[in-house]
Amino acid sequence: MSAPTTPDLLVQDRPAALRRLLARPELGSLIAAAAVFAVFAAAAEPFLRVSSLGTVLYAASTIGIMAVPVSLLMIGGEFDLSAGVLVTTAALTSSMVSYQFTAVTWVGVLVSLATTLAIGWFNGWMLGRTKLPSFIVTLGTFLMLTGANLGVTKAVSGTVSTKSIADMQGFETCRWLFASELNVGGLTIKATVWWWLGLLAVGSWVLLRTRFGNWIFAVGGDAAAARAVGVPVARTKTVLYLGVGFGAWVLGQHLLFSFDTVQSGEGVGNELIYIVAAVIGGCLITGGYGSVVGSALGALIFGMAGKGIIYAQWNPDWFKFFLGAMLLLAALLNAYVKRRAERGPR
Amino acid sequence: MSTTRFRPSRRFWPVCAVLALAVTAAGCSSTGGRRAEEARAKAAAAGGSAVTTPRWKVAMVTHAGAGDAFWDSVRKGAEQAAAKDNITFLYSNDAQTQNQVQLVQAAIDQKVDGLLVTLAKGDAMADVLGKAKAAGIPVITINSGQEFSAKFGALTHIGQDENSAGQAAGAELASRGRKNVLCVIHEQGNVGQEERCSGARSKAGGGFQVLYVNGVDMPDARAAISAKLQADPSIDTVLTLSGPMAATGLQAVQDAHRSVELDTFDLGPQVVAGLKSGSVGFAVDQQPYLQGYEGVDLLWLYKSNLDMLGGGKPVATGPQILTKDDADALAEYVARGTR
């Protein structure tokens, strides 16, 4: 019954499962998500209804779809400020290609995929080539895309929003894939939720179970060291940007096929929300640490806080204040738990 | 730990390209699209200007954000009047007041022959409009800022007073017996939007609430509106303040599985379709095309004949209440982006 004397033995004291849990980057966000849920479950009666769950999941999924590739990119040590408007670019491209060439909507959808991947590749290539910070490179892309979304749409369509493609061939099947909904006992689950879960599973698997996942951690942690042990740093980062392009494509297609027409000025500012979701989810802003599942919890916190305020019927004048305070609290709690976990047992 | 390698096959991209080509070749839609539009358009006659006055230069500087369908109609109206009046038309816009002031200054520096400005945040424009006056440039204000127009030396104001537009909407809501209205503001802090809602509130009679949503993120706005409808079963009417937001509102009503009437300010393809099908009760239109068109045309009248419509009193372009009866006639003009 003698007490252990060395710190090593102290660590042994805790059950292995608990220790592993405390070391997980998403633990803080899990607690924060539970806290946000508890707040609104107590403050807002409608929040706990099944139909409300569908609404919250929808709001979370449209952030979460982008937060998956954005969190991977951040673990790889880079930013993408063009992610928000890239979603709008994806929707505009798809719509305009289908309309202008009078093509089946699937053609537009595929051209849009090629376009978003090309823009992602461009970001990665510029980064590798110029060695400029990704903040600057993608800020440039952000501004160019914002302008091009407007300029090209206006030049091609003659107006600032796209024409409706709802009467075109292929629209119904595309809508089924990107914007359908499924009713399960009063709970409406939108297609974006499936896409989100799918991306989450793939992203998490890639990060934790593949060699490429190790490369992501390596290039984000210390690019020079990673290069020294033979990791293709530039190529890894380019693939991460391709991932962001893919996510933007999925969300952009949802935007198009659920609203028929797209306004060219949309999407500005959302890039920050994706980054915040990743950060709340435990991604370090400096790279090398984080998780994909955490980004989903971050998106869920966003979805719950944003819609919970409405369910709670709080004074709308203060809407953004509540949202900001809620996010800050979640992030602080997250950081606190992480620090506790890293410090280990006393 | 690592079980798989990442390395796309060399054949990956060529296969993608071939696939894309194959789909393109097989992929022509037999319905809708540009071909249908061209088939509809009977090659509208493109004419030159209708007058022989000198080629004057008119600048329009608005507080519009980028990519907004409403302002596109204003601009279209101005451009078509300019083409008719032999006028070189310059357009610029910036949502931030200090930038808009700089754009007005830039127009003055270019020695334009006439100036059209919006006064969304009135007082900030006083100085620069004083400079325009000192430079002898006639100014007409459009869209917003009626109360500042004469004070800043503008010839007249063309537009719709947001508060009275709101009141018109409120009166219509009351006459339709709507009990509890949700007014959706998609730009928190926008004075005109607040005025629309408060004007509607003053005449609506029944319950009235305001909801703020993010106007540049449609999925988020959609979820927010449907969350509100789920939270408050007493809401029987959603009032949106723009055409695109009306479309989003319609989606949200569907999501919430509620039979709620949607009414809106401004038009758009979905609004007209909604009026026709009955899912949209009414739309309050301020005729943005007219604001641009009349702005340029009145400057031309003033330059060529020293005329001023209404003797310099504000000229109203709205509010016009549009219902199911107007839907068929409107569709064509909405499709071409002038209504």
Side-chain angles (χ1 to χ4, degrees):
Chain A
M1 286 300 273
S2 65
T5 47
T6 64
D8 269 27
L9 282 173
L10 260 175
V11 174
Q12 302 283 320
D13 249 13
R14 294 196 178 183
L18 182 66
R19 259 185 298 129
R20 221 176 302 134
L21 178 72
L22 282 174
R24 304 278 326 147
E26 57 273 83
L27 177 69
S29 52
L30 185 65
I31 292 174
V36 171
F37 180 83
V39 165
F40 287 111
E45 180 268 314
F47 187 72
L48 290 176
R49 282 188 217 143
V50 178
S51 59
S52 309
L53 182 64
T55 307
V56 168
L57 274 181
Y58 175 53
S61 67
T62 58
I63 298 167
I65 284 173
M66 286 304 283
V68 169
V70 166
S71 63
L72 285 172
L73 182 68
M74 284 183 69
I75 296 167
E78 304 296 343
F79 280 106
D80 191 347
L81 296 179
S82 66
V85 286
L86 187 56
V87 173
T88 311
T89 305
L92 291 170
T93 308
S94 182
S95 170
M96 283 190 290
V97 166
S98 298
Y99 191 88
Q100 296 301 324
F101 297 108
T102 321
V104 169
T105 53
W106 284 101
V107 176
V109 168
L110 289 178
V111 173
S112 172
L113 177 61
T115 308
T116 53
L117 289 180
I119 292 165
W121 175 83
F122 172 81
N123 277 334
W125 177 77
M126 276 297 270
L127 193 74
R129 255 337 186 40
T130 60
K131 312 279 185 234
L132 285 169
S134 58
F135 191 91
I136 300 299
V137 170
T138 59
L139 189 60
T141 317
F142 161 76
L143 291 170
M144 289 196 298
L145 285 182
T146 311
N149 282 353
L150 185 57
V152 173
T153 310
K154 178 95 196 203
V156 170
S157 308
T159 60
V160 293
S161 54
T162 62
K163 308 239 164 83
S164 171
I165 59 164
D167 58 347
M168 298 188 68
Q169 278 183 359
F171 186 86
E172 286 309 318
T173 44
C174 286
R175 167 171 267 179
W176 173 81
L177 183 61
F178 293 108
S180 59
E181 47 191 56
L182 188 70
N183 261 297
V184 190
L187 174 66
T188 307
I189 300 177
K190 293 208 192 297
T192 48
V193 176
W194 303 123
W195 279 101
W196 181 32
L197 294 178
L199 285 173
L200 203 58
V202 172
S204 212
W205 176 74
V206 166
L207 186 66
L208 299 175
R209 291 276 175 270
T210 68
R211 176 200 268 190
F212 185 70
N214 288 342
W215 289 357
I216 298 174
F217 280 115
V219 299
D222 187 341
R227 196 173 290 113
V229 297
V231 175
V233 174
R235 183 142 56 90
T236 302
K237 291 187 172 178
T238 304
V239 172
L240 291 176
Y241 277 107
L242 290 180
V244 176
F246 184 81
W249 172 71
V250 172
L251 190 52
Q253 303 316 300
H254 170 70
L255 208 62
L256 174 61
F257 290 106
S258 94
F259 298 98
D260 301 357
T261 62
V262 185
Q263 285 210 104
S264 53
E266 284 173 28
V268 178
N270 281 356
E271 61 281 349
L272 295 179
I273 295 188
Y274 307 143
I275 291 172
V276 171
V279 170
I280 290 180
C283 292
L284 279 189
I285 216 147
T286 45
Y289 185 82
S291 91
V292 176
V293 173
S295 82
L297 290 166
L300 202 57
I301 289 175
F302 245 102
M304 286 194 295
K307 303 304 160 279
I309 288 166
I310 296 168
Y311 287 122
Q313 310 244 35
W314 289 345
N315 183 350
D317 291 347
W318 290 84
F319 185 91
K320 285 198 175 148
F321 182 87
F322 285 133
L323 203 57
M326 196 69 74
L327 289 173
L328 206 52
L329 280 175
L332 281 175
L333 182 62
N334 180 14
Y336 170 76
V337 171
K338 195 163 77 198
R339 224 174 302 129
R340 286 293 299 262
E342 279 168 358
R343 204 188 299 146
R346 265 167 297 187
Chain B
M1 189 62 177
S2 66
T3 54
T4 46
R5 289 168 64 84
F6 173 78
R7 177 169 275 273
S9 144
R10 288 228 166 265
R11 249 175 292 163
F12 179 66
W13 290 112
V15 166
C16 280
V18 168
L19 202 68
L21 274 177
V23 173
T24 312
C28 281
S29 171
S30 57
T31 53
R34 182 180 195 157
R35 208 175 294 157
E37 182 190 357
E38 282 170 353
R40 280 193 299 269
K42 299 235 170 66
S49 61
V51 296
T52 55
T53 45
R55 190 149 182 90
W56 288 313
K57 200 178 352 173
V58 166
M60 177 189 278
V61 185
T62 72
H63 68 277
D68 186 327
F70 176 90
W71 288 101
D72 204 43
S73 298
V74 176
R75 189 172 165 183
K76 273 214 176 87
E79 278 167 352
Q80 290 186 7
K84 185 201 70 174
D85 291 341
N86 194 26
I87 279 173
T88 305
F89 178 70
L90 311 169
Y91 180 83
S92 56
N93 64 301
D94 201 303
Q96 291 187 46
T97 311
Q98 74 270 27
N99 294 344
Q100 198 197 349
V101 169
Q102 288 167 18
L103 290 173
V104 175
Q105 183 61 53
I108 296 170
D109 296 342
Q110 289 177 72
K111 300 189 167 42
V112 293
D113 299 291
L115 196 53
L116 297 163
V117 291
T118 62
L119 303 176
K121 284 141 199 162
D123 287 322
M125 302 292 276
D127 281 353
V128 78
L129 289 191
K131 283 182 194 157
K133 192 168 188 174
I137 300 171
V139 176
I140 288 179
T141 60
I142 61 167
N143 181 260
S144 46
Q146 183 173 317
E147 66 276 29
F148 301 104
S149 180
K151 201 165 71 184
F152 294 172
L155 295 170
T156 186
H157 179 83
I158 305 162
Q160 167 193 256
D161 166 23
E162 299 293 7
N163 198 278
S164 55
Q167 290 181 23
E172 181 71 20
L173 288 167
S175 78
R176 287 165 168 263
R178 310 316 296 179
K179 297 270 185 311
N180 196 348
V181 178
L182 179 70
C183 195
V184 181
I185 290 185
H186 56 267
E187 225 184 288
Q188 195 165 14
N190 179 315
V191 182
Q193 294 188 10
E194 296 281 355
E195 280 179 0
R196 283 184 178 184
C197 280
S198 64
R201 180 198 296 270
S202 70
K203 298 279 177 189
F208 199 94
Q209 304 177 54
V210 170
L211 177 71
Y212 296 99
V213 302
N214 180 3
V216 295
D217 185 344
M218 288 305 184
D220 188 62
R222 174 179 175 176
I225 297 170
S226 81
K228 182 70 184 177
L229 291 176
Q230 286 162 348
D232 188 346
S234 69
I235 293 170
D236 64 354
T237 310
V238 174
L239 179 64
T240 56
L241 306 183
S242 78
M245 203 42 75
T248 303
L250 284 172
Q251 303 264 12
V253 169
Q254 259 177 27
D255 287 353
H257 304 293
R258 296 272 313 277
S259 61
V260 169
E261 178 176 301
L262 185 123
D263 300 311
T264 187
F265 288 82
D266 299 349
L267 291 175
Q270 287 100 334
V271 174
V272 174
L275 284 172
K276 205 168 174 177
S277 74
S279 56
V280 175
F282 67 89
V284 183
D285 189 23
Q286 61 169 306
Q287 309 193 76
Y289 180 88
L290 206 50
Q291 294 176 1
Y293 187 94
E294 286 301 317
V296 170
D297 211 33
L298 287 190
L299 276 174
W300 178 82
L301 280 168
Y302 181 79
K303 294 283 293 181
S304 61
N305 203 31
L306 219 56
D307 281 326
M308 191 39 62
L309 202 65
K313 290 235 171 59
V315 179
T317 59
Q320 187 185 30
I321 304 265
L322 300 167
T323 60
K324 193 175 183 127
D325 305 333
D326 310 295
D328 282 329
L330 280 171
E332 176 190 346
Y333 308 114
V334 168
R336 72 179 189 198
T338 56
R339 279 303 297 257

